[in-house]
Amino acid sequence: MFAVTSVLLLPFALAEGLVPQTGEPALMLWLLGYLTAVPTALSYALYFAGAAVVRSATVSVIMLLEPVSAAVLAVVLFGGHLTAPILASTLLMLGAVTGLAVSEARGARRAAMWRRGALAVR
């Protein structure tokens, strides 16, 4: 859920540094509050908008991808070590999400074909 927000903010963090340095601490605190509130609200809005149109099984698996994005960010930003169990679980979760997405697409196609057939009979 927060992966999109993290990716969108990453260029700014890389350009300015991960710890802000300023002579105006009040402005920095206001901007920090803004950056924590607005992207969080955006990520929740996008999450719930997506959850409204996807099956609950798919939503629950996608929600489990948050640790995968945390592991990727740890490796990329902080030089964390990518161990075999982390890699295996990441590939397993990505495979599950891919399988569910394919299943959703097939189900949507079948439903559309059935509706066209049902409407043609009427």
Side-chain angles (χ1 to χ4, degrees):
M1 171 164 46
F2 295 103
V4 172
T5 305
S6 298
V7 168
L8 292 175
L9 292 176
L10 183 61
F12 299 106
L14 294 176
E16 292 295 323
L18 294 177
V19 178
Q21 304 291 325
T22 181
E24 300 178 38
L27 177 62
M28 183 199 66
L29 287 175
W30 185 88
L31 289 172
L32 188 60
Y34 175 82
L35 285 175
T36 56
V38 173
T40 301
L42 176 64
S43 66
Y44 274 110
L46 291 173
Y47 173 75
F48 287 115
V53 296
V54 179
R55 290 182 331 169
S56 60
T58 306
V59 171
S60 64
V61 171
I62 289 173
M63 190 174 190
L64 293 174
L65 285 179
E66 194 170 335
V68 171
S69 64
V72 169
L73 289 173
V75 169
V76 171
L77 293 179
F78 303 115
H81 299 288
L82 189 60
T83 63
I86 292 174
L87 183 61
S89 61
T90 299
L91 292 175
L92 184 63
M93 289 304 302
L94 292 175
V97 169
T98 302
L100 282 169
V102 168
S103 175
E104 288 271 331
R106 286 183 185 158
R109 247 182 276 131
R110 283 188 195 132
M113 290 171 63
W114 183 83
R115 276 186 296 226
R116 274 188 246 137
L119 292 174
V121 172
R122 290 183 188 178

